[in-house]
Amino acid sequence: MNLSKKEIVDILSSPDTDIFKEADAVRKKYVGDGVHLRGLIEFSNICKCNCLYCGLQSSNKHVNRYRLSKDEILDIAKKGVDEGFKTIVLQSGEDEFFNTKLMCEIISEIKNLGVALTLSIGEKSFEDYKAFKDAGADRYLLRIETTDKNLYKKMHPYANFDNRMRCLYDLKKLGYETGTGCLVGLPEQTLESLADDILFFKELDADMIGIGPFIPHPDTPLKNENNGSLDLAIKVMAVTRILLKDINIPATTAMESLRSDGRLLALQSGANVVMPNLTDDCHKKMYEIYPNKISATKQDFDFKLKTINRYIETVSCGYRNRA
Ligand code: SAH
């Protein structure tokens, strides 16, 4: 299906939530009832960036910074594999301690465990992305955050929109399953710009899309702003499902942080992936991108999914049945 920008804006501005049911039907038809699990490891909260909304921004002096050692990361990955995870996601701030060589070592050791591997470690050069791919990385998550250049500039005063775009096209070129996404409810963000975000996801032909409401962090310059609306975030996700049909869409943690059944609602409105957090309790508390970050385990999901007649997918772990 194709929707014009105006049609998308109309859907986003209407109080009607029929779109949730439509997206649920598209999800069922194209990717089925199975919910894919991705085991998330937050291995460093050290970041050189200064994204205004993010609790881990380098100018936030209240964060207890940590980085896990290679062995600690591998131990967590092994535990995840023993629990039955088929995909491991490595996420961190932009921490240059993890240089190309060290990342490649970690990647190839995790690949030896026989799982798919997703990276979410920010903006890198084409050469770095190529090295990670050659070492075995399968997928990469890099949200564009917003396609509105002016808003992007305000939210990332020291970063470069064109470079983030370049990264996404490099990842595609290198054959990664490429994930992107946006924040919903950033200060001054308009419905028109959210419609542009959705159209961009289609243009990039993204394989995964993560969408989450903005949640103000008390130690950032955006602390007095309102949080994004959960309903609007789910609507953006639902329209994305309808337009991109067979991609992977996580029910994101930020959705659950705003409302206790937020992720279940997302799973009933187009989502088909959840990312339980494998990081140990001590460190995951310190990976505070936004306050009240919920972190559910595989067991929590096992139980909750039954209440909506869904189940954890154990067979295929990839997009379009790629291993
Ligand atoms: N450094 C990596 C990982 C970023 S953290 C990268 O640049 O890709 C993952 C995501 O958390 C970000 O892409 C952003 O969309 C989201 N995030 C950051 N701060 C947030 C906030 N205050 N509220 C909601 N989501 C936030």
Side-chain angles (χ1 to χ4, degrees), residues 44 46-47 49 51-56 90-95 119-123 140-145 164 181-184 186 210-217 220 222 254 287-291 293:
S44 167
I46 298 176
C47 192
C49 302
C51 311
L52 246 55
Y53 43 81
C54 183
L56 302 181
L90 290 182
Q91 190 180 83
S92 68
E94 293 207 9
D95 179 359
L119 300 178
S120 175
I121 58 175
E123 295 174 30
Y140 207 103
L141 303 176
L142 186 79
R143 291 186 181 173
I144 191 69
E145 314 294 2
R164 206 157 178 94
C182 64
L183 284 163
V184 174
L186 288 168
I211 289 158
F214 157 66
I215 304 175
H217 189 291
T220 66
L222 303 185
Y287 198 86
E288 200 189 57
I289 304 175
Y290 47 82
K293 193 165 122 292

Side-chain angles (χ1 to χ4, degrees), residues 103-129:
M103 271 324 293
C104 287
E105 285 168 20
I106 296 169
I107 292 165
S108 59
E109 296 218 29
I110 292 183
K111 285 302 290 179
N112 284 338
L113 303 173
V115 285
L117 179 61
T118 306
L119 300 178
S120 175
I121 58 175
E123 295 174 30
K124 306 279 175 191
S125 66
F126 180 88
E127 290 70 31
D128 279 346
Y129 288 145

Side-chain angles (χ1 to χ4, degrees), residues 35-41 75-89 110-111 113-117 139 263 273-279 284 295-302 312-318:
V35 175
H36 296 273
L37 292 183
R38 316 295 192 209
L40 178 66
I41 306 178
D75 279 350
I76 299 176
K78 275 182 204 142
K79 265 191 221 136
V81 174
D82 290 344
E83 264 190 72
F85 283 90
K86 304 261 188 325
T87 298
I88 296 294
V89 181
I110 292 183
K111 285 302 290 179
L113 303 173
V115 285
L117 179 61
R139 309 179 185 144
R263 271 199 278 206
V273 171
V274 289
M275 296 170 67
N277 198 331
L278 300 177
T279 319
K284 74 181 161 205
S295 67
T297 63
K298 184 177 176 216
Q299 289 71 25
D300 297 330
F301 283 115
D302 242 340
I312 290 176
E313 181 67 72
T314 51
V315 185
S316 128
C317 60

Side-chain angles (χ1 to χ4, degrees), residues 57-212:
Q57 60 184 256
S58 57
S59 42
N60 182 3
K61 302 297 173 223
H62 301 289
V63 185
N64 284 319
R65 303 284 172 174
Y66 72 88
R67 58 169 67 102
L68 301 186
S69 68
K70 179 170 130 185
D71 288 344
E72 285 171 318
I73 298 171
L74 291 174
D75 279 350
I76 299 176
K78 275 182 204 142
K79 265 191 221 136
V81 174
D82 290 344
E83 264 190 72
F85 283 90
K86 304 261 188 325
T87 298
I88 296 294
V89 181
L90 290 182
Q91 190 180 83
S92 68
E94 293 207 9
D95 179 359
E96 285 178 347
F97 174 84
F98 290 92
N99 58 28
T100 316
K101 180 169 172 284
L102 178 56
M103 271 324 293
C104 287
E105 285 168 20
I106 296 169
I107 292 165
S108 59
E109 296 218 29
I110 292 183
K111 285 302 290 179
N112 284 338
L113 303 173
V115 285
L117 179 61
T118 306
L119 300 178
S120 175
I121 58 175
E123 295 174 30
K124 306 279 175 191
S125 66
F126 180 88
E127 290 70 31
D128 279 346
Y129 288 145
K130 180 164 188 326
F132 302 156
K133 188 88 186 44
D134 291 343
D138 305 282
R139 309 179 185 144
Y140 207 103
L141 303 176
L142 186 79
R143 291 186 181 173
I144 191 69
E145 314 294 2
T146 172
T147 55
D148 178 331
K149 277 191 170 198
N150 288 329
L151 182 59
Y152 191 92
K153 185 83 201 142
K154 282 188 194 152
M155 293 294 116
H156 313 91
Y158 308 106
N160 180 322
F161 177 81
D162 294 336
N163 190 54
R164 206 157 178 94
M165 270 295 177
R166 189 271 307 156
C167 289
L168 286 168
Y169 283 98
D170 279 356
L171 292 164
K172 267 277 173 192
K173 213 182 295 164
L174 285 162
Y176 280 93
E177 283 180 39
T178 305
T180 187
C182 64
L183 284 163
V184 174
L186 288 168
E188 297 175 40
Q189 191 177 33
T190 61
L191 296 183
E192 283 73 18
S193 101
L194 287 168
D196 283 333
D197 294 350
I198 298 171
L199 292 170
F200 164 69
F201 303 155
K202 188 152 167 99
E203 187 181 308
L204 178 72
D205 189 26
D207 304 296
M208 307 174 274
I209 293 294
I211 289 158

